[in-house]
Amino acid sequence: MKHFKVIWAYRYFIISSIITEFRTKFVRSRLGAIWMIAHPLAQVAIYALVLSAVLSTKFPGVQSQYAYAVYLMAGMLAWTLFAEVFSRSLTIFIDNGNLLKKMSFPKIALPLIVFGTAIINNLLLLISILVVFGILGHPLFLSLIWLILLISLTLSLAAGLGLIAGIMNVFIRDIGQMMPIVLQFWFWLTPVVYVSSIIPEKYKYLLMLNPMSSVVMSYQDVLLYGRAPDLLTLIYPCGLALLSLFLASWIYYRANEEMADVL
Amino acid sequence: MNKYVLEVLNIGKAYRTYKNEWHRVLSWFGIASKMIKEQWILKNINFTIKEGEAIGIVGQNGAGKSTLLKIITGTLKPTTGHFNIHGRIAAILELGMGFHPDLTGRENAYHASGLMGFSREQIDAVIEHIHTFSEIGEYFEQPVRVYSSGMQVRVAFAVATAYRPEILIIDEALSVGDTYFQHKSFERIREFQKQGTTLLIVSHDRSAIQAICDRAILLDSGSIIKDGAPEEVMDFYNALIADKENKTISQMQDTNGNIQTVSGTKEATVEEIALYNNKDEKIEIAGVGEQVYLKLKIKVHEDISSLVLGYSIKDRLGQVLYGTNTWHTNQVIYNPKSGEIYEIVISFMANFGVGSYSVQTALVDKETHLSANYEWKDLALVFSIINKDKTFFTGLLWNEPIVRIQKNEPN
């Protein structure tokens, strides 16, 4: 409870930091916010150009010739949020080491700023993806409402795992070096670019061990197929998200005192 | 006025090093590890501070001053003990922390105040005050990256002191921008103090500590070794830095209740010291502007290569009014032998204001007391100045003016 009180007391700082982050990112660039969504959309375009010929026929029930592009965008929407929150949580305490050593303020404000920024980024990406859908003639479904759940789930999962890694990274810096590599493998172990059906049946369980697989597939359900996600498959990532958040707050609580010592 | 604003109870700080950082991770889960090496930076720190006090924290580099302040401000957590703060604490340690170069002064003021835990409404209430206090005019609306460093510091100081804290921590020298702004910022600190803010000042600067503080705490290798009146503590500190290898510092009370600090290796000592007037009478009170003679008898106890006598005259707060030594006057005594006695007479005009003054002596080998300190004596002699025959004046310095007044007829 005490923590929530502290966060509430610092709400203005958190909000103003999020605004500051956007403002400083674009204050000196002409195109401003466009750059934020340009990166994931460019990736989608690249994969779509390179791979659509190979994969374009494998979406049952979807007529559009742009099905693969839509599929990619659905997966990218999930993955960019996950990757951004995870990799920024990983270095959040080290990046702000100087501040943490010299100013007294609740450390927990820092990841909250990251989460807030990432959510806004992701919503902007979502809006632009929906605009692209409109241009491509892909219909928007009522199932979009599921995105609220899916985005929260992705955020929680990334926040929990990212903070565990981020706190440990303060003490064991190898983690910060290792995680970007892990994240790359992770991306290719998640059916963002390819379709899960190309994985042989006997290795499918390996894919499902990855909590992001069912999350990404749910995004694709909602955005591409226009159907509700398979909630049973989401139990595992939900449980893992809760567990990792609990573990992260435990570690934060224990390591809080020692963090400024080693920064 | 007797409310405690800060109680520090048995605070200690240790940096734990683990043979392997994974042991630290395990320790969070309650799995104790024997690989711990602990390095204690602070031990058994106890003190209480009352409302409105001004406290100087002194000590050599590495004595633990900044660690102590970091614990009090909350950036470091103590390993043992705890402390209670009644009120808000603000620090002028790192001015401009959290400033972003691309934001304007105003935006940065909002942002940095937020970092200090203020809400938007609270900042709205003082933003104009911050603007006027910083005196940077139109620049307030321009990005900080175009500021001079002085301007940035002005804004930062204005932000840090926008609200009166119960405890204000001030770092070293407080060199905030140009001289004008230094006076202005100091004025503000004084104002806070009058309203009841407690000041905690970290400095090596003797005069600053003695001018501002009414108490000083001396830290040495992580412990408080002296806590008391600034002059007494600073004398002790001075003796301490001179006496690194030979720790023979003694403090005794003279007849007037002043505490005299003597330190040194005793190869030579001041045996006698007294003040004389024109008629060669020993005096304790001199008139303003009177010719006086400071006579010292120095005894050499061991053969040494050189001997320099230094002295300084201080006011009752311990501020040095004048000081020099025989190195600077080119009167070094070379190769004095054991048993020799030297008499030194220093004559000068007592051009001081009315009040009590003390003489501090130092017997050293070169221009400072850092290479060899034979004897260092604070409050070696105390004398008073009275105004017998001069025009009334206030202040520490007698500087007889000639005043001319001319009446101009209105035209």
Side-chain angles (χ1 to χ4, degrees):
Chain A
M1 249 352 263
K2 208 181 113 217
H3 278 287
F4 288 107
K5 234 179 181 168
V6 170
I7 293 167
W8 182 246
Y10 270 78
R11 66 193 183 281
Y12 171 67
F13 173 67
I14 294 170
I15 293 165
S16 107
S17 296
I18 294 172
I19 297 169
T20 301
E21 192 153 320
F22 281 103
R23 195 179 299 173
T24 55
K25 216 187 279 181
F26 308 121
V27 75
R28 298 179 82 176
S29 71
R30 281 180 190 282
L31 294 180
I34 291 176
W35 294 117
M36 230 170 358
I37 48 174
H39 184 72
L41 287 182
Q43 257 188 311
V44 167
I46 290 165
Y47 288 128
L49 283 172
V50 174
L51 299 172
S52 59
V54 189
L55 289 157
S56 57
T57 53
K58 298 190 176 175
F59 300 95
V62 184
Q63 305 301 324
S64 164
Q65 52 171 326
Y66 300 114
Y68 180 59
V70 172
Y71 180 85
L72 273 175
M73 280 187 265
M76 277 300 189
L77 181 65
W79 185 260
T80 43
L81 177 62
F82 180 80
E84 183 182 351
V85 170
F86 184 88
S87 52
R88 288 203 50 202
S89 301
L90 181 66
T91 56
I92 185 75
F93 297 114
I94 292 178
D95 291 346
N96 291 285
N98 217 14
L99 199 58
L100 287 173
K101 270 195 296 189
K102 286 171 182 158
M103 291 288 295
S104 173
F105 67 102
K107 295 186 188 66
I108 200 71
L110 292 174
L112 291 178
I113 294 164
V114 165
F115 304 158
T117 318
I119 285 281
I120 294 171
N121 269 336
N122 202 240
L123 290 179
L124 288 175
L125 181 63
L126 173 64
I127 291 167
S128 49
I129 281 177
L130 295 181
V131 169
V132 174
F133 280 11
I135 296 166
L136 298 182
H138 181 76
L140 301 179
F141 305 104
L142 202 62
S143 56
L144 277 178
I145 202 83
W146 285 102
L147 280 180
I148 297 170
L149 172 81
L150 292 176
I151 289 174
S152 328
L153 174 56
T154 313
L155 178 69
S156 317
L157 197 60
L161 297 174
L163 282 181
I164 293 172
I167 296 168
M168 304 250 284
N169 190 24
V170 173
F171 303 97
I172 308 164
R173 299 288 165 105
D174 304 64
I175 289 174
Q177 300 295 327
M178 184 178 71
M179 280 304 159
I181 304 170
V182 170
L183 215 53
Q184 273 207 324
F185 278 101
W186 204 336
F187 175 71
W188 289 101
L189 290 172
T190 311
V192 176
V193 174
Y194 55 89
V195 189
S196 63
S197 57
I198 65 166
I199 308 280
E201 204 58 42
K202 58 176 177 175
Y203 295 123
K204 242 199 182 136
Y205 74 96
L206 278 177
L207 195 69
M208 295 322 278
L209 268 182
N210 171 4
M212 276 307 284
S213 294
S214 47
V215 173
V216 163
M217 283 155 75
S218 302
Y219 268 84
Q220 291 152 354
D221 279 337
V222 166
L223 286 167
L224 175 65
Y225 300 109
R227 63 187 181 215
D230 183 354
L231 288 180
L232 279 180
T233 63
L234 290 179
I235 290 172
Y236 167 59
C238 275
L240 201 68
L242 287 178
L243 183 73
S244 66
L245 279 176
F246 172 76
L247 200 63
S249 38
W250 174 268
I251 292 180
Y252 171 77
Y253 174 71
R254 300 305 300 261
N256 190 12
E257 306 199 338
E258 294 172 45
M259 240 190 269
D261 294 1
V262 298
L263 276 168
Chain B
M1 276 304 274
N2 280 324
K3 231 172 66 193
Y4 285 117
V5 285
L6 176 67
E7 281 178 278
V8 173
L9 301 164
N10 204 30
I11 281 207
K13 176 73 186 171
Y15 285 106
R16 299 210 166 104
T17 38
Y18 293 79
K19 206 164 189 180
N20 182 330
E21 284 294 332
W22 287 104
H23 290 287
R24 188 197 296 272
V25 174
L26 288 178
S27 77
W28 299 336
F29 296 95
I31 301 165
S33 159
K34 284 183 183 171
M35 306 294 184
I36 301 174
K37 274 180 236 150
E38 279 184 334
Q39 192 193 351
W40 288 88
I41 305 293
L42 286 177
K43 272 173 292 184
N44 303 325
I45 304 292
N46 284 289
F47 61 89
T48 47
I49 296 178
K50 284 182 231 155
E51 195 175 3
E53 267 191 300
I55 302 213
I57 294 186
V58 288
Q60 300 172 62
N61 288 332
K65 288 175 305 206
S66 46
T67 308
L68 179 62
L69 289 187
K70 278 180 180 172
I71 288 173
I72 294 171
T73 51
T75 53
L76 286 181
K77 298 283 186 293
T79 313
T80 63
H82 63 104
F83 61 96
N84 303 317
I85 293 178
H86 306 286
R88 195 173 69 84
I89 194 160
I92 310 183
L93 296 171
E94 294 291 327
L95 283 175
M97 263 321 264
F99 269 30
H100 199 291
D102 282 328
L103 295 185
T104 67
R106 182 182 297 272
E107 288 162 342
N108 267 310
Y110 270 96
H111 189 67
S113 307
L115 186 60
M116 288 158 65
F118 289 114
S119 71
R120 188 173 178 92
E121 295 74 44
Q122 284 172 308
I123 306 166
D124 280 338
V126 289
I127 189 75
E128 279 320 307
H129 174 80
I130 292 173
H131 186 185
T132 37
F133 189 86
S134 63
E135 292 183 30
I136 60 163
E138 289 301 303
Y139 275 100
F140 202 54
E141 317 299 340
Q142 291 188 28
V144 165
R145 83 185 120 82
V146 305
Y147 284 25
S148 70
S149 57
M151 281 152 73
Q152 197 169 331
V153 154
R154 282 172 173 229
V155 176
F157 183 88
V159 169
T161 58
Y163 275 97
R164 184 179 76 82
E166 272 67 39
I167 302 173
L168 183 64
I169 294 179
I170 303 158
D171 191 16
E172 208 84 61
L174 191 75
S175 47
V176 180
D178 50 290
T179 332
Y180 164 72
F181 199 73
Q182 277 180 30
H183 280 275
K184 183 165 175 171
S185 49
F186 208 75
E187 205 50 34
R188 180 129 182 102
I189 290 167
R190 287 278 200 196
E191 200 181 296
F192 279 165
Q193 196 188 2
K194 268 185 214 142
Q195 291 168 37
T197 293
T198 298
L199 304 180
L200 266 181
I201 298 161
V202 186
S203 182
H204 292 289
D205 181 3
R206 181 186 185 110
S207 54
I209 294 272
Q210 283 175 341
I212 308 164
C213 302
D214 33 46
R215 188 175 144 201
I217 290 174
L218 176 59
L219 282 177
D220 191 49
S221 22
S223 306
I224 294 181
I225 58 170
K226 201 123 196 108
D227 181 348
E231 178 157 24
E232 177 192 343
V233 172
M234 289 313 288
D235 286 348
F236 197 88
Y237 174 57
N238 219 340
L240 189 77
I241 52 173
D243 237 37
K244 273 191 176 150
E245 63 275 11
N246 194 352
K247 300 219 173 198
T248 52
I249 308 168
S250 59
Q251 287 196 319
M252 50 197 158
Q253 222 157 20
D254 72 4
T255 42
N256 300 323
N258 297 312
I259 291 174
Q260 196 182 52
T261 307
V262 183
S263 66
T265 46
K266 309 280 184 201
E267 283 88 345
T269 53
V270 172
E271 297 292 298
E272 280 172 32
I273 177 167
L275 199 66
Y276 289 83
N277 66 8
N278 246 339
K279 296 169 199 145
D280 208 29
E281 293 164 339
K282 199 165 164 178
I283 52 169
E284 284 180 359
I285 298 167
V288 172
E290 193 180 332
Q291 172 78 48
V292 291
Y293 303 88
L294 185 63
K295 296 189 181 175
L296 300 101
K297 196 176 273 182
I298 292 158
K299 190 165 184 193
V300 182
H301 301 281
E302 267 174 56
D303 296 359
I304 41 182
S305 61
S306 60
L307 180 62
V308 167
L309 168 76
Y311 76 100
S312 49
I313 296 165
K314 302 177 181 179
D315 71 359
R316 76 190 157 76
L317 294 173
Q319 304 253 38
V320 175
L321 300 180
Y322 184 85
T324 189
N325 64 29
T326 57
W327 170 280
H328 296 301
T329 62
N330 286 321
Q331 289 166 301
V332 180
I333 303 166
Y334 288 105
N335 301 313
K337 297 278 174 284
S338 171
E340 287 177 357
I341 289 174
Y342 291 87
E343 267 192 40
I344 298 178
V345 180
I346 301 162
S347 65
F348 60 93
M349 299 295 197
N351 291 344
F352 306 121
V354 172
S356 169
Y357 297 87
S358 71
V359 177
Q360 166 254 310
T361 61
L363 291 170
V364 295
D365 67 335
K366 289 197 181 77
E367 73 261 48
T368 69
H369 69 290
L370 298 174
S371 56
N373 175 26
Y374 305 134
E375 189 195 53
W376 182 287
K377 211 179 223 173
D378 286 301
L379 294 165
L381 175 77
V382 178
F383 64 93
S384 300
I385 298 285
I386 54 166
N387 194 348
K388 291 178 193 165
D389 48 7
K390 303 287 187 275
T391 320
F392 173 81
F393 69 101
T394 59
L396 294 172
L397 172 73
W398 179 58
N399 191 10
E400 185 84 320
I402 297 166
V403 182
R404 249 183 25 194
I405 300 178
Q406 194 183 321
K407 188 174 177 187
N408 281 357
E409 292 305 323
N411 31 18

